[in-house]
Amino acid sequence: MEDQPRPKLDWDWGTAYDLFASLNVLHEPNKFGLRGSWAAGVRSRLPNAEREILEDAQTLFHIPAQWVYGLPSPKDSASALRRLEHLAPERRLPALAINSETPPQVAEALMDVMERGAWDERDQDVLRDGFNEKGLRGKILATILDWWARGAEFGERYLAALQSYQQVFFAEEEARIRPALQDSLEHAKALSKELTVPELVEDLSQGLRFESLMALSELILAPSYWTTPLVVFSNLGDERMLLLYGARPVDASLVPGEVIPDALLLALKALADPTRLRILRYLAVKPLTPAQLSRRLRLRAPTVIHHLNTLRLAGLVYLTLESGGERRYAMRTETVESTFRNLGGFLEADTRR
């Protein structure tokens, strides 16, 4: 393994990643297998105006991982809020929303909109073309451009809402997840001494494979409790990548106090569907793309992709991101087998508490 070419590994961690990740999950609970009613209950702790600005912020940016990476230690919610406070209000949105992955023409257009305090159809076209999203809905574009035209107002209101969210929910959550993040980081560092980089990423991400991984010069790994089992990756330029991997233990739940582990519940839900069972039968034979599965199942591609996303969320499939952009799936036999072992262990657990 010592002679194998590999990207340099670096490590990072901080609860500030989960400050923003938790907001993303709370606003898209279905994507992460979270109970929608609980997510709505957390959001309801905030006043209406603050809920609205945090919801709109998910359209402007999701998890500003590059910005968090640039924070000084300890990279917790307090340090993130202090850094935002020190920025002028009109600089907060650019700092969070524009990074090395933002197409230059989009970044230029957005900054121009902020300077003008207005936008027009040409700005919409630049965003559609720059993000290569011809079907990007006008309402979403209007929300993005409206806030960029009022950048200073967004900066003021967003910081106030984020401070409120930290006070009413995340400060307590931060204390809960910090030990799991630290344990996960130490576990990952130990694994890195035994596994190749692709094997390490596959293990930490519960089945994600990057064909171009070994072409990187540096890979920074950081644990995230709230995004588990999914990953967030951000290209830092110069063949460098920041990867947030899931750090929630398999016997833990995202909902505090919940006794049924998320991993077990998601796997059982995923398996309790005839179409997904058929998909797994095909994937047990050989890896397939969504298009290939669509032809075999005689189902529309979006339907197949929906089922594959559910299986990926449950950790039941490998996902290979090929160099040309193609996605290829295969069954994770070990996860299917461990699901029923975990179910047996859960049912046999001592409940005298």
Side-chain angles (χ1 to χ4, degrees):
M1 188 175 74
E2 293 298 328
D3 296 330
Q4 180 181 6
R6 55 183 292 174
K8 174 190 173 185
L9 274 183
D10 201 359
W11 306 91
D12 194 39
W13 87 282
T15 51
Y17 288 112
D18 279 289
L19 170 67
F20 297 99
S22 61
L23 284 167
N24 185 214
V25 175
L26 289 171
H27 285 89
E28 297 185 85
N30 292 336
K31 178 181 175 182
F32 295 89
L34 178 64
R35 195 164 64 244
S37 58
W38 184 81
V42 174
R43 298 196 305 269
S44 70
R45 300 182 192 182
L46 295 164
N48 285 339
E50 294 180 348
R51 286 206 306 271
E52 290 172 1
I53 193 71
L54 291 177
E55 181 176 359
D56 281 352
Q58 301 310 306
T59 302
L60 298 169
F61 55 87
H62 289 108
I63 303 172
Q66 290 192 28
W67 184 81
V68 174
Y69 178 64
L71 291 176
S73 294
K75 297 188 182 181
D76 56 8
S77 63
S79 63
L81 292 171
R82 280 196 302 271
R83 175 62 66 88
L84 286 175
E85 283 181 302
H86 291 160
L87 289 175
E90 66 274 12
R91 293 181 58 197
R92 291 168 188 163
L93 179 53
L96 295 169
I98 294 179
N99 55 53
S100 63
E101 295 182 302
T102 308
Q105 67 272 32
V106 170
E108 182 180 352
L110 291 173
M111 294 303 295
D112 185 53
V113 166
M114 181 179 288
E115 185 176 347
R116 297 190 335 251
W119 59 274
D120 54 34
E121 290 185 6
R122 289 173 298 179
D123 299 307
Q124 283 187 319
D125 292 339
V126 171
L127 263 61
R128 281 199 189 93
D129 294 341
F131 288 123
N132 198 25
E133 292 284 352
K134 299 295 183 182
L136 202 59
R137 296 197 306 274
K139 184 177 180 181
I140 294 176
L141 286 172
T143 299
I144 294 172
L145 291 166
D146 280 346
W147 278 122
W148 275 92
R150 295 181 289 155
E153 179 188 346
F154 174 86
E156 291 280 12
R157 291 182 56 187
Y158 180 73
L159 176 58
L162 199 61
Q163 290 169 329
S164 180
Y165 172 71
Q166 195 259 3
Q167 292 167 6
V168 303
F169 175 74
F170 193 74
E172 183 177 350
E173 178 65 5
E174 189 170 36
R176 179 176 80 107
I177 69 175
R178 185 178 284 112
L181 294 175
Q182 293 172 320
D183 289 346
S184 176
L185 186 64
E186 293 308 312
H187 173 68
K189 287 181 177 180
L191 277 180
S192 71
K193 299 175 182 177
E194 305 171 5
L195 304 176
T196 65
V197 173
E199 290 169 343
L200 177 65
V201 170
E202 183 180 302
D203 185 286
L204 295 177
S205 66
Q206 299 185 39
L208 185 62
R209 296 163 169 168
F210 291 89
E211 273 199 350
S212 59
L213 192 63
M214 299 306 288
L216 295 173
S217 62
E218 183 180 16
L219 176 65
I220 301 106
L221 295 169
S224 170
Y225 193 94
W226 272 74
T227 59
T228 309
L230 304 181
V231 301
V232 176
F233 53 93
S234 182
N235 292 312
L236 303 178
D238 299 324
E239 299 180 341
R240 300 170 67 233
M241 177 187 287
L242 170 64
L243 178 69
L244 303 187
Y245 66 89
R248 191 162 68 247
V250 294
D251 60 349
S253 173
L254 194 54
V255 178
E258 179 61 70
V259 297
I260 302 177
D262 287 339
L264 177 60
L265 189 60
L266 290 172
L268 292 176
K269 284 183 175 180
L271 291 169
D273 181 276
T275 300
R276 290 195 282 272
L277 288 175
R278 291 174 63 203
I279 288 174
L280 285 176
R281 284 187 69 183
Y282 282 122
L283 298 182
V285 177
K286 65 177 182 178
L288 296 169
T289 66
Q292 291 169 331
L293 282 166
S294 180
R295 289 192 291 271
R296 284 167 170 76
L297 295 164
R298 296 183 180 179
L299 292 173
R300 295 174 60 248
T303 301
V304 172
I305 290 171
H306 168 75
H307 286 299
L308 287 170
N309 287 341
T310 300
L311 291 168
R312 166 71 184 127
L313 183 64
L316 294 168
V317 293
Y318 292 105
L319 167 58
T320 300
L321 302 178
E322 300 181 350
S323 300
E326 186 72 83
R327 292 174 174 240
R328 195 171 299 274
Y329 294 81
M331 188 176 79
R332 290 187 75 201
T333 306
E334 67 276 17
T335 308
V336 176
E337 294 172 349
S338 67
T339 294
F340 295 101
R341 290 198 302 271
N342 293 339
L343 175 61
F346 173 78
L347 295 175
E348 294 170 4
D350 187 353
T351 58
R352 294 172 297 176
R353 288 187 293 176

